[in-house]
Amino acid sequence: MADKGIDARGTGGDDRPQERQRFKKLAQAALNADVTVDQVEGILSDLGDVLIDMNKTIGGLDGAIDTLDSTLTRLSGTLDQVDSTVVAMGDVVDRLERVVSRVEALVGIGEVAMRPLGAIESAGRGLASRLGFTR
């Protein structure tokens, strides 16, 4: 019988099956790590494409925001013009109301002035009908 010696654990025996098992596990771990690295590289490659597309989209959004900003500036200017026009129209309406009140006063004066003429006309018609000048 041959002496196999004492292994690292202090027991005698052949460690080849254990070493083989250990190498198998290390090889499997290395393969798993290699597959994981490939998967991470694939994800990062896809992520790069997504980031490029996202950059284009954000650039388009920036352009839309710039356009919106200029549009809002123009709208603000337009609203300022509308406000000033409303104020000017208010002044015009005030002037027209003063003119209308003056015209109403003149019409009232004209009506008062026409009353005696209406009375004279009515008296003349009555006289003409009594004299037989009307049909």
Side-chain angles (χ1 to χ4, degrees):
M1 202 158 149
D3 183 22
K4 295 184 180 178
I6 299 176
D7 61 7
R9 293 186 187 158
T11 61
D14 190 7
D15 286 334
R16 284 189 193 175
Q18 288 180 346
E19 284 181 26
R20 219 181 236 167
Q21 200 59 10
R22 183 174 170 227
F23 283 133
K24 278 184 177 181
K25 286 181 182 179
L26 287 174
Q28 188 62 43
L31 287 173
N32 289 343
D34 189 42
V35 169
T36 302
V37 167
D38 287 343
Q39 289 174 345
V40 168
E41 285 177 350
I43 289 170
L44 290 177
S45 174
D46 293 342
L47 184 61
D49 293 339
V50 168
L51 289 176
I52 289 170
D53 290 343
M54 213 168 164
N55 191 27
K56 290 177 188 176
T57 302
I58 289 174
L61 183 61
D62 285 343
I65 288 172
D66 289 342
T67 303
L68 179 63
D69 186 42
S70 65
T71 302
L72 288 176
T73 301
R74 287 177 49 205
L75 180 62
S76 177
T78 302
L79 289 175
D80 290 342
Q81 289 176 348
V82 167
D83 288 344
S84 64
T85 302
V86 166
V87 169
M89 291 303 293
D91 293 341
V92 169
V93 168
D94 289 341
R95 289 179 192 156
L96 284 174
E97 285 176 349
R98 281 183 270 163
V99 168
V100 167
S101 66
R102 288 178 185 163
V103 168
E104 286 175 344
L106 289 174
V107 167
I109 290 171
E111 288 175 347
V112 169
M114 293 299 286
R115 282 186 193 152
L117 291 176
I120 292 172
E121 178 187 3
S122 177
R125 284 185 187 190
L127 181 63
S129 68
R130 285 187 186 163
L131 294 175
F133 291 125
T134 59
R135 298 181 195 181

